[in-house]
Amino acid sequence: MKELLWRIGGQSGEGIESSGEVLAGVLHRLGYYVYGFREFPSRIHGGHTHYTLRASPRTVRHPGDGVDILLALDQESIDRNWAEVNPDGYVLFDASRFAARFPDNKPVQAIGLPLTEIAKGLGEALLRNVAGIGATMALIGLPAAIVQPLLEKQWGRKGAVVVGRNVEALQQGWQALRQTWTGPRPSLPAVSPPVGQRYLLTGNQAVALGALFSGCRFLAAYPITPASEILHELATLLPPLGGVVVQAEDELAALNMAIGAGYAGARAMTSTSGPGFSLMMEALGLAGMAEVPVVLVDVQRAGPSTGMPTKLEQSDLYEAVYGSHGEIPRVVLAPATVEDAFYQTAEAFQLAETYQCPVILLSDAAIGQATQTVENLNLERLALSGQGEAALTPQAVLPSESARGERYPRYEETESGVSARPLPGQPGGIYLATGNEHDRFGRVTDAADNRVRQMKKRMSKLAHLSPPNWVSYTGPAAPDLVLVGWGAATGAITEARQALVDRGAAVGQLMIRGLHPFPRERVEQWLARAQHVVVVEHNYEGQLEHLLRSECRPELLSHLESFRQYNGRPFRVADILRQAETILSTVRLAPAAMAGGPSSLQDQELPAETDRVHPVRLEKRSTQ
Amino acid sequence: MSAAGELRPAVTAADYRLGTPTWCPGCGDYGVLRALQKAAAELQLVPEQTVVVGGIGCSGKLAYYFRAYAFHGVHGRALPLATGIKLANPRLTVLVAGGDGDGYGIGLGHLLHAMRRDVDLTYIVMDNHIYGLTKGQYSATSRKGFRTRSSPAGSTEEPVHPLELALAAGCGFVAQGFAGDPDQLSRILVSAIRHPGFALVNVLSPCVTFNHEDTYDHWQNALVNLGAADGVDPDGRPTWDRWGALQRVAAAQELVRGVIYQRPVDSQATPCAKAGQVAGDGRDSDLYPAQRPGRGLTLDEQEEYLARFAG
């Protein structure tokens, strides 16, 4: 077994997620790279829920294709997850609760364990999860003793009695598996303890930390799945630093509050998901018109309307790039990884302040909510992201006090379009900020010539903004195929590309991390070099593809294809591979490379039917 | 800053004047502007440390003509905008001006939450029972049967009763003024601005162009004057009798003017109003701390935060 693909399933409210996180934490501390993702119904109690954990000696950015080990606490968990159980995988089930039935004849190793019996023996039925974790560890060759100190760390704050019972449940589950199961046991490859500091972070937590470190001191937000963790984290982090967190009455209020705070000089943000983002459209225009720095984080989920609140989608791109009536300057960033979420949040604050406009960080449910092992967070780089182009910021450089009875020319028509921004409290800076069209003092006017000048002033601010790192290319200089994507699709694209490269194919990947202003030249450069291009994204209409088609030269788009998925689930790597192979089959591809060999897909330790690929390390951004 | 005792020349009402209002001749909003300028002078508000947030509508334009920092936002969201400003820099005096459409129509939800949240804002609603800027539709405070372009057969909706609403919602300061008596209104506004918490001042401010029923004469005759704004009602009872205030206001069908209710000062400021913190790093004593957004976290401190997520 090259890596662990494990899932625990049961009823919501049974502690499924927390026990999944326990195992994730244990494996993380042992030195594995983990990717943990909860799949839950949008209700508090009851209903099937599961937690998927992938652990590997190498960095993982994707939950993996299928499940090798399913820990089922009820029959429903088998029924609902059966399709994803890989052939010859293992199904551990709670035999003291039910006799497992399997929908078809797919070969699996079924192991019934007295999990509830163990738990009841310890006086707490919910401990069945923990016994199941013990059984899982026994199956994959992790000695219970190794993890005991880690478990104490994990549960220590709940007191010695709780820790003791959990350790006991874990050990009994471990022994039960070894007594029950004498068949083959897959074992996880050994890892050495991590070098350097590693963190277990979700993208939402990374956004909160990035905001905190880059000086954000104001958040107004309304609770919404899957963005609420940003509110939760900052509600803890900001107040001790004198920052303010307001749980607004709705998203209309949330963005307006953040704009007020931004106007007053605080680095301010709001966080939301699709429905809330829709409610923010009018105020987004206000921030653009009044030239107020503010950061909006949209952790996308499956829409439209209420859609599928807990499911993944990348369908707010149009709204982020084009939303709100009228035309405003705005920046749209899209983190491709958890690390990106950290750095780009800092970049968002800096851009907002430099260009005095709203900046939208378009995250998504997969990046926002998946728990991942993250390493080498570079705080100095973060500081740079937070301060780049500071020279452009004329903020707070005020002339002598303006004469009484006049306003400060806040909206002066400068060459860069950016003008000095006084903060309330500052002598000599009195001006009117307004959503109406206005002259350079902020005075409302609809005079035609002024309108044209002020539109040009605002819209030209971002004309030259095109940071190199907004486009990230990995691959050969003359690719037969380039996979283009953004955000949540990054993990699957990365693994699919590596599998293709392992087979000898000349495939590159182009991740677009800044969507607006669109990095046209950098994207065109790679479109021009590629024989074929496939845009891979989680939506129905192909929103990134349409953006490419509207921004790039048409002659570069004739070979553009699209691969989309909008079922709320992450791409399977195998599906992207299949799509890519179909396209590559029209290009000359060495037959030997397709047939197998040392770098082929087939993994001797795994059943040949699976089309899973090896996990790969996400390459450092080596853009051209 | 002024708190440090720096000498500043006295500010007069004229120092808050800016530009020439475009309201119709006779509009009640002139009286409101004049009363606010007078109140500001009495309180010696420093224009640069004052922010006027205006809603959308004729009344929101007050922000154009009052010399201070000003923000004229989108329709109905003046209170959230003002809340963000005040919480980001509590040293600012934040005044909010709007009309019945902005505050009791499209923005009513925010009003309830602003009263509940009790951030230190003074909200002046110029209530003329009509939509004036859009040229004459019935508003949330129009009485039943009121005929307008959008209610040719008469409005069938029960009007919002802002005073009872505010009292029921627990607003800490509730008053009603009349644009026809700027002197009293000015005294009310002084009390409202001094009140440490959210203050609602509903001002009956006639629209002389589109509302020919709720006129100066009508209100002059109909309104019962509660007298001075000094924390006692005409019977000498303290105005913090919220239930008594509610009963009196309801009995008078809200046709009163004066301070109707004031929660005793400094008794129960909410955490939000008390925050008294500036959204900066709290490490300097600048006048504009919010503009120094806590880049002050050292790398070591950042490492400490990150360590919480070591797994």
Side-chain angles (χ1 to χ4, degrees):
Chain A
M1 185 166 69
K2 292 270 187 186
E3 57 174 350
L4 177 68
L5 290 174
W6 176 84
R7 179 174 294 175
I8 178 172
Q11 292 294 304
S12 182
E14 282 191 332
I16 300 300
E17 186 190 348
S18 58
S19 45
E21 283 181 349
V22 166
L23 187 56
V26 164
L27 291 164
H28 168 80
R29 285 191 214 119
L30 284 173
Y32 293 95
Y33 291 86
V34 305
Y35 183 104
F37 195 75
R38 62 181 167 141
E39 186 94 10
F40 55 100
S42 191
R43 59 202 256 192
I44 293 169
H45 201 90
H48 173 72
T49 183
H50 63 248
Y51 185 94
T52 305
L53 176 63
R54 185 179 182 188
S56 166
R58 292 181 285 180
T59 303
V60 283
R61 301 291 191 189
H62 182 263
D65 288 359
V67 175
D68 286 341
I69 301 173
L70 173 67
L71 172 57
L73 297 178
D74 53 19
Q75 179 63 39
E76 189 182 358
S77 296
I78 293 176
D79 297 339
R80 284 178 177 262
N81 295 291
W82 181 250
E84 290 176 76
V85 175
N86 291 325
D88 289 336
Y90 292 81
V91 177
L92 313 187
F93 62 94
D94 188 352
S96 37
R97 282 174 113 187
F98 66 104
R101 297 181 311 277
F102 300 110
D104 58 38
N105 293 328
K106 178 160 64 180
V108 293
Q109 322 274 5
I111 309 175
L113 297 160
L115 302 178
T116 296
E117 195 181 309
I118 291 172
K120 282 187 174 162
L122 295 167
E124 172 55 71
L126 282 179
L127 287 172
R128 66 171 78 92
N129 303 339
V130 181
I133 289 173
T136 302
M137 294 200 305
L139 185 66
I140 61 176
L142 292 178
I146 283 185
V147 299
Q148 186 165 331
L150 303 176
L151 294 175
E152 280 167 5
K153 192 173 167 191
Q154 188 96 18
W155 286 315
R157 65 195 149 97
K158 292 187 177 174
V161 177
V162 173
V163 172
R165 278 199 307 194
N166 277 279
V167 169
E168 186 60 30
L170 187 124
Q171 280 173 344
Q172 288 189 25
W174 197 96
Q175 282 156 6
L177 183 118
R178 290 294 172 104
Q179 284 161 12
T180 310
W181 180 248
T182 52
R185 294 195 307 262
S187 63
L188 261 188
V191 286
S192 8
V195 182
Q197 190 60 56
R198 289 185 186 171
Y199 307 100
L200 201 50
L201 278 178
T202 64
N204 283 345
Q205 290 170 328
V207 166
L209 286 169
L212 178 75
F213 296 170
S214 49
C216 171
R217 292 296 177 270
F218 187 95
L219 170 79
Y222 185 82
I224 189 168
T225 301
S228 294
E229 293 83 7
I230 298 172
L231 169 63
H232 303 166
E233 293 295 341
L234 288 175
T236 304
L237 295 171
L238 283 189
L241 291 168
V244 175
V245 174
V246 187
Q247 182 169 308
E249 56 268 32
D250 54 37
E251 290 88 349
L252 305 169
L255 181 53
N256 276 283
M257 286 176 183
I259 290 171
Y263 164 80
R267 284 194 160 187
M269 71 185 276
T270 184
S271 53
T272 187
S273 185
F277 193 49
S278 292
L279 287 182
M280 292 179 180
M281 284 301 115
E282 187 188 18
L284 175 66
L286 173 64
M289 185 62 147
E291 304 194 45
V292 177
V294 68
V295 173
L296 292 76
V297 182
D298 173 16
V299 186
Q300 299 166 93
R301 68 189 212 188
S305 189
T306 308
M308 300 192 287
T310 63
K311 297 291 184 279
L312 160 68
E313 204 163 87
Q314 301 178 280
S315 52
D316 296 354
L317 184 152
Y318 287 161
E319 190 178 30
V321 171
Y322 302 119
S324 199
H325 61 282
E327 297 158 312
I328 55 163
R330 79 185 80 195
V331 175
V332 182
L333 303 175
T337 61
V338 170
E339 286 90 334
D340 259 5
F342 182 68
Y343 296 122
Q344 286 197 335
T345 303
E347 189 180 354
F349 279 103
Q350 183 55 36
L351 291 172
E353 197 166 293
T354 301
Y355 294 101
Q356 303 174 2
C357 71
V359 177
I360 297 160
L361 189 72
L362 211 47
S363 180
D364 54 57
I367 288 171
Q369 293 204 313
T371 303
Q372 300 177 49
T373 298
V374 170
E375 62 186 344
N376 300 328
L377 285 180
N378 185 337
L379 293 173
E380 281 163 16
R381 180 180 151 197
L382 183 90
L384 285 178
S385 309
Q387 288 172 1
E389 308 196 53
L392 259 179
T393 311
Q395 171 196 309
V397 182
L398 287 195
S400 57
E401 184 161 357
S402 58
R404 280 194 171 182
E406 285 184 16
R407 291 191 173 97
Y408 179 78
R410 158 73 182 96
Y411 301 107
E412 192 71 79
E413 290 134 15
T414 61
E415 197 175 331
S416 68
V418 180
S419 35
R421 184 171 75 96
L423 302 179
Q426 222 162 350
I430 282 177
Y431 74 99
L432 173 66
T434 172
N436 283 68
E437 187 56 276
H438 45 266
D439 68 8
R440 63 199 190 98
F441 297 100
R443 292 180 302 209
V444 173
T445 169
D446 53 13
D449 55 342
N450 177 79
R451 163 69 170 183
V452 172
R453 284 200 310 273
Q454 284 289 323
M455 276 299 284
K456 280 185 178 168
K457 166 200 174 353
R458 288 188 296 270
M459 300 307 286
S460 67
K461 286 194 289 189
L462 301 170
H464 303 294
L465 180 66
S466 183
N469 67 359
W470 280 15
V471 173
S472 163
Y473 178 80
T474 310
D480 287 333
L481 171 68
V482 168
L483 301 170
V484 181
W486 59 295
T490 305
I493 289 174
T494 304
E495 295 191 18
R497 186 192 85 85
Q498 189 59 53
L500 291 162
V501 168
D502 287 348
R503 297 182 199 185
V507 179
Q509 68 184 76
L510 189 67
M511 307 315 301
I512 302 181
R513 304 166 62 252
L515 294 164
H516 187 87
F518 191 75
R520 185 176 56 82
E521 285 179 17
R522 291 174 207 282
V523 171
E524 283 185 342
Q525 170 191 344
W526 289 105
L527 294 183
R529 292 187 191 198
Q531 294 295 312
H532 291 270
V533 176
V534 180
V535 183
V536 182
E537 54 186 324
H538 289 104
N539 55 51
Y540 180 89
E541 292 192 303
Q543 299 192 6
L544 178 61
E545 185 202 342
H546 278 263
L547 196 61
L548 288 168
R549 290 192 186 281
S550 69
E551 295 280 354
C552 299
R553 296 201 304 275
E555 63 267 29
L556 297 175
L557 300 166
S558 55
H559 56 322
L560 194 74
E561 296 182 47
S562 177
F563 184 45
R564 307 164 194 170
Q565 179 172 300
Y566 43 88
N567 61 6
R569 275 69 179 177
F571 280 112
R572 284 167 50 88
V573 173
D575 292 340
I576 298 178
L577 272 177
R578 199 170 301 121
Q579 188 80 5
E581 278 167 358
T582 306
I583 291 163
L584 285 171
S585 65
T586 67
V587 182
R588 193 165 48 81
L589 188 63
M594 291 301 289
S599 61
S600 83
L601 256 188
Q602 285 193 12
D603 183 337
Q604 297 309 310
E605 296 175 42
L606 287 169
E609 289 89 338
T610 63
D611 45 10
R612 175 155 23 82
V613 299
H614 301 171
V616 295
R617 189 182 189 85
L618 189 74
E619 295 182 25
K620 292 285 173 203
R621 276 175 220 103
S622 54
T623 45
Q624 302 280 320
Chain B
M1 62 181 284
S2 55
E6 182 191 323
L7 284 177
R8 282 176 178 271
V11 192
T12 68
D15 292 319
Y16 304 104
R17 286 183 201 144
L18 193 57
T20 309
T22 56
W23 294 311
C24 304
C27 175
D29 295 352
Y30 286 101
V32 180
L33 176 61
R34 207 156 54 239
L36 184 61
Q37 286 161 338
K38 190 176 173 194
E42 182 167 341
L43 292 164
Q44 288 292 293
L45 297 184
V46 178
E48 289 89 351
Q49 292 168 26
T50 304
V51 181
V52 180
V53 178
I56 295 291
C58 298
S59 49
K61 293 184 180 178
L62 183 137
Y64 298 178
Y65 312 123
F66 186 96
R67 188 172 164 273
Y69 278 89
F71 201 147
H72 185 227
V74 296
H75 196 20
R77 319 296 162 209
L79 286 175
L81 197 59
T83 300
I85 294 168
K86 181 67 183 179
L87 291 179
N89 189 350
R91 298 178 199 184
L92 300 169
T93 298
V94 183
L95 313 172
V96 192
D100 41 317
D102 204 68
Y104 306 143
I106 189 171
L108 181 62
H110 302 305
L111 173 60
L112 288 171
H113 292 286
M115 293 190 290
R116 201 171 60 80
R117 200 171 275 128
D118 204 21
V119 173
D120 189 5
L121 304 171
T122 303
Y123 187 29
I124 305 158
V125 182
M126 283 153 262
D127 181 2
N128 56 15
H129 298 8
I130 189 95
Y131 281 88
L133 199 58
T134 49
K135 305 202 185 302
Q137 298 83 14
Y138 72 101
S139 86
T141 49
S142 297
R143 61 169 179 74
K144 260 185 173 171
F146 192 57
R147 289 173 190 270
T148 66
R149 287 177 165 183
S150 60
S151 56
S155 164
T156 58
E157 299 169 16
E158 180 70 18
V160 166
H161 305 292
L163 306 178
E164 289 156 81
L165 187 78
L167 288 164
C171 183
F173 184 103
V174 183
Q176 183 155 269
F178 174 40
D181 187 351
D183 288 340
Q184 184 199 31
L185 177 57
S186 167
R187 291 197 303 277
I188 291 172
L189 288 170
V190 166
S191 300
I193 295 168
R194 278 191 179 137
H195 175 76
F198 186 87
L200 173 69
V201 181
N202 192 60
V203 185
L204 299 168
S205 176
C207 174
V208 296
T209 305
F210 292 106
N211 188 337
H212 302 297
E213 298 187 22
D214 301 301
T215 60
Y216 284 100
D217 282 348
H218 164 72
W219 273 326
Q220 184 69 54
N221 295 328
L223 290 171
V224 175
N225 192 344
L226 298 180
D230 293 323
V232 289
D233 68 14
D235 303 324
R237 288 179 299 193
T239 48
W240 59 79
D241 170 13
R242 185 156 71 103
W243 177 235
L246 190 55
Q247 285 176 311
R248 285 197 304 282
V249 164
Q253 297 179 308
E254 303 217 341
L255 289 167
V256 294
R257 55 190 174 103
V259 175
I260 290 151
Y261 171 74
Q262 182 172 13
R263 190 162 51 206
V265 171
D266 79 41
S267 71
Q268 34 180 312
T270 63
C272 218
K274 271 197 303 197
Q277 296 190 51
V278 176
D281 59 9
R283 294 182 188 200
D284 55 37
S285 54
D286 267 12
L287 177 56
Y288 330 108
Q291 83 187 71
R292 303 191 181 283
R295 294 195 182 101
L297 281 184
T298 65
L299 289 182
D300 284 347
E301 287 169 320
Q302 293 181 19
E303 295 279 8
E304 281 174 33
Y305 280 106
L306 275 177
R308 299 184 190 183
F309 299 90

